[in-house]
Amino acid sequence: MIPPSFKQDLLARADIVQIVGRYVQLKKAGINFKGLCPFHNEKTPSFIVSPTRQTYHCFGCGAHGNAIDFLMEHGGLGYVDAVRELAQEFGLQVPEEHGTPEQRAQAAQERERRATLTDVLGRAAEHYRKQLKASPRAVQYLKGRGLTGGIAARFGLGYAPPGWRTLASVFPQYDDPLLTESGLVIAQGEGEEARHYDRFRDRIMFPIRNVRGEVIGFGGRVIDEGEPKYLNSPETPVFVKGRELYGLYEARAALRERGYALVVEGYMDVVALAQLGFPNAVATLGTACTAEHVQKLFRFTDQVVFSFDGDAAGRRAAARALEAALPHVTDTRSARFLFLPPEHDPDSYIRAFGPEAFERCVAEAVPLSRQLVETAREGCELGSAEGRARFLAQARPLWQALPDGLLRRQILAELAQHAAMPVDELHQAWIGDGGHAAPSHRPAGREAGGPGSRPGRRPPASRRLLSGTPTLLDRALWLLVCRCELWNELSPAAHDLLAEQVAPYGPAFAWIERHLNDQGPVSATTLLEEMAREDFGNGSEALVQRLRELHEPEDGVDLSCELAIVVDRLLLRALEDERAMLFESGALDPETLQRARELLDQCKALKDRIESLVAARDR
């Protein structure tokens, strides 16, 4: 893990105007700089870079962050890679907090090995692209599938000739172990007796790229008859099928513009859909959809639509996708399921009925809540008590996989309705018998009705909960320590807002999210003990000590409501800061004035919501 203090020092050295200016043409606008947003298509500049705040913000699509965030979003880099790239500019070595010197040296060696493999794969991709241009037969095949040269170039399509050792023209040392490790060459036998030959022969080649744009593997499709129809690279140190999605690198901007990801079954579907006006499609790589696939997609969009054939195989694939999506959907992140007629895939459906008809299919896709019910009721006769009991038995593990929140409660009510059972009874049956209850995580000490409890009306929750004068960020962090699973009830905007705070708060919120994802909910006592061993930057120890001194929540306090109030107040403060930045820019064009009115309306709505929540809490 990179020490938060190093990140803060790095951001202090960086000039965000210079970094963004390499990719965006910026013009001075008051005390800020303005340009066309690189994250969505626009004709009038709405992208503001603030040198005083060292942040960027788009008033069109809402993109916001610091220099590291920009490198991650624009370049498709992971957090660690973005920090390394920025540190390299200042000649700084990124420190590693954990591991022995031997382990850190081994990690550096592994990074170098991975970089070498992607370089080898990139050279092979360039070779295949050149071979495509030289093969009229391969070009004609792609034209016959309705693909233009432009779309083929965008996805880097190529052609592997039918020879057994064509890659020897690119890699003179054909028996180099790197070629075998990368999956490009197959070695039969051992030592000097080994026979080497190309894995891909006489196939249209689809480079598989990671979110940074590096080639990490290939998919190859036969042109004529032959088996297997599709052939993938084997798994390597840089390519794991259960983590990667074909077309995600190319679809990043479209995911933001279209507002959803369309998950289809094959490479050709992805490329054909991009040709037909759906550039937001991605595909799994010969495996069922995994939780890691879904988690990766939700980094780019809040809606995922899975497209399947309507036959039995498609229904089975949908059931696996449902299981993968359940842990990651929230009140603001949704998944839907699109079933096409068995005789059609997305490509053929659009060619037969047109893009508008397919758009209607997407709009009418089955929501996750209904798909969960349909999956659970398979093989159940709801007209009998036995059938309803079986239905609930099949539904329970699916429902338990959902994170706590309003969606989970709504689905519980739907399940109860289908089972002809009062929702309170179902809740008691599933929660009251040791089921997947959301733990209270109250620190050891006062029990309900025990010493310290007071009869009669309690004072307002704001005075009950916290001692002294903690900041809003202190309160938000403390509430998440008390019940860390409440993180999943927050919106993506709230997640970003909290994680982007200066140290020690931002790193602490980000750590809680990682800890929750890795280990699930734990008690407040355990969480505080582990936080005390972490370094969240300047003030880390003092922050943990303040959290320890705050009063534990009393029975009956709605921590979810408390957190909603605190986060809404933080969001309100952020919107008011944005308004101030907008007026500081000095711009008076219609788009800026419109945005100012929108911010004013949003602030008013937030104030009304906060007032309503406070009134409900104190009743």
Side-chain angles (χ1 to χ4, degrees), residues 141 145 203 206 219-222 226-232 266-269:
Y141 171 81
R145 295 298 299 261
R203 290 177 180 269
F206 298 80
R221 190 197 191 285
V222 294
E227 293 295 335
K229 185 176 179 180
Y230 285 97
L231 179 66
N232 289 327
Y267 315 117
M268 191 60 78
D269 283 335

Side-chain angles (χ1 to χ4, degrees), residues 131-274:
Q131 293 299 314
L132 175 62
K133 294 178 182 178
S135 172
R137 174 168 161 266
V139 170
Q140 189 57 43
Y141 171 81
L142 293 178
K143 287 183 177 179
R145 295 298 299 261
L147 302 182
T148 64
I151 207 73
R154 178 183 169 192
F155 284 87
L157 303 189
Y159 173 63
W164 288 88
R165 293 168 60 95
T166 62
L167 286 176
S169 64
V170 185
F171 304 99
Q173 192 177 344
Y174 191 69
D175 59 352
D176 188 337
L178 280 173
L179 295 180
T180 306
E181 188 176 12
S182 65
L184 292 170
V185 168
I186 295 174
Q188 284 187 339
E190 297 181 359
E192 295 182 359
E193 301 297 323
R195 174 174 172 261
H196 296 78
Y197 59 92
D198 292 0
R199 178 180 300 274
F200 299 100
R201 303 179 305 280
D202 195 23
R203 290 177 180 269
I204 297 294
M205 298 297 289
F206 298 80
I208 301 164
R209 296 189 264 208
N210 61 20
V211 292
R212 299 180 61 183
E214 298 169 328
V215 178
I216 56 175
F218 292 94
R221 190 197 191 285
V222 294
I223 292 181
D224 300 317
E225 297 299 320
E227 293 295 335
K229 185 176 179 180
Y230 285 97
L231 179 66
N232 289 327
S233 291
E235 293 200 347
T236 69
V238 296
F239 176 50
V240 179
K241 296 175 186 177
R243 296 177 188 166
E244 304 298 338
L245 290 155
Y246 178 73
L248 181 58
Y249 173 75
E250 292 81 4
R252 290 172 305 153
L255 294 180
R256 299 186 184 96
E257 293 168 11
R258 301 298 291 265
Y260 70 94
L262 179 63
V263 183
V264 295
E265 295 189 58
Y267 315 117
M268 191 60 78
D269 283 335
V270 172
V271 179
L273 283 168

Side-chain angles (χ1 to χ4, degrees), residues 199-433:
R199 178 180 300 274
F200 299 100
R201 303 179 305 280
D202 195 23
R203 290 177 180 269
I204 297 294
M205 298 297 289
F206 298 80
I208 301 164
R209 296 189 264 208
N210 61 20
V211 292
R212 299 180 61 183
E214 298 169 328
V215 178
I216 56 175
F218 292 94
R221 190 197 191 285
V222 294
I223 292 181
D224 300 317
E225 297 299 320
E227 293 295 335
K229 185 176 179 180
Y230 285 97
L231 179 66
N232 289 327
S233 291
E235 293 200 347
T236 69
V238 296
F239 176 50
V240 179
K241 296 175 186 177
R243 296 177 188 166
E244 304 298 338
L245 290 155
Y246 178 73
L248 181 58
Y249 173 75
E250 292 81 4
R252 290 172 305 153
L255 294 180
R256 299 186 184 96
E257 293 168 11
R258 301 298 291 265
Y260 70 94
L262 179 63
V263 183
V264 295
E265 295 189 58
Y267 315 117
M268 191 60 78
D269 283 335
V270 172
V271 179
L273 283 168
Q275 178 77 64
L276 295 169
F278 292 86
N280 53 325
V282 299
T284 55
L285 296 160
T287 64
C289 186
T290 67
E292 286 189 78
H293 287 143
V294 177
Q295 186 177 32
K296 181 172 285 190
L297 285 171
F298 277 137
R299 285 175 51 195
F300 293 90
T301 181
D302 290 334
Q303 294 187 62
V304 176
V305 178
F306 298 99
S307 176
F308 300 102
D309 295 339
D311 56 13
R315 296 284 171 179
R316 288 193 298 271
R320 292 191 292 269
L322 173 67
E323 292 176 4
L326 285 170
H328 300 291
V329 294
T330 66
D331 299 342
T332 56
R333 289 177 176 172
S334 66
R336 290 179 289 153
F337 298 81
L338 168 62
F339 297 98
L340 294 174
E343 66 273 16
H344 281 295
D345 57 27
D347 177 17
S348 66
Y349 189 92
I350 295 172
R351 293 185 190 280
F353 302 105
E356 295 80 9
F358 187 73
E359 282 280 19
R360 287 194 295 272
C361 289
V362 171
E364 296 167 1
V366 177
L368 176 137
S369 56
R370 195 191 314 162
Q371 185 64 24
L372 187 153
V373 172
E374 291 301 317
T375 301
R377 70 184 296 173
E378 185 174 348
C380 301
E381 174 51 62
L382 299 188
S384 68
E386 291 83 356
R388 292 192 295 273
R390 181 179 179 182
F391 163 70
L392 290 176
Q394 293 179 173
R396 184 175 184 178
L398 300 175
W399 178 82
Q400 287 176 339
L402 288 162
D404 194 22
L406 294 177
L407 176 63
R408 194 171 191 249
R409 300 173 201 175
Q410 291 282 339
I411 291 177
L412 183 70
E414 286 193 22
L415 293 171
Q417 183 180 5
H418 280 84
M421 185 177 183
V423 66
D424 291 342
E425 288 187 20
L426 181 58
H427 184 272
Q428 178 62 29
W430 283 1
I431 301 298
D433 65 353

Side-chain angles (χ1 to χ4, degrees), residues 460-467 475 478-479 550-554 557-559 562-563 617:
S462 58
R463 295 197 297 273
R464 287 201 311 272
L465 288 172
L466 301 169
S467 63
R475 294 178 65 192
W478 177 79
L479 289 164
L550 294 176
H551 292 174
E552 66 187 59
E554 295 186 2
V557 174
D558 187 347
L559 297 188
E562 289 293 329
L563 183 61
R617 178 195 68 186

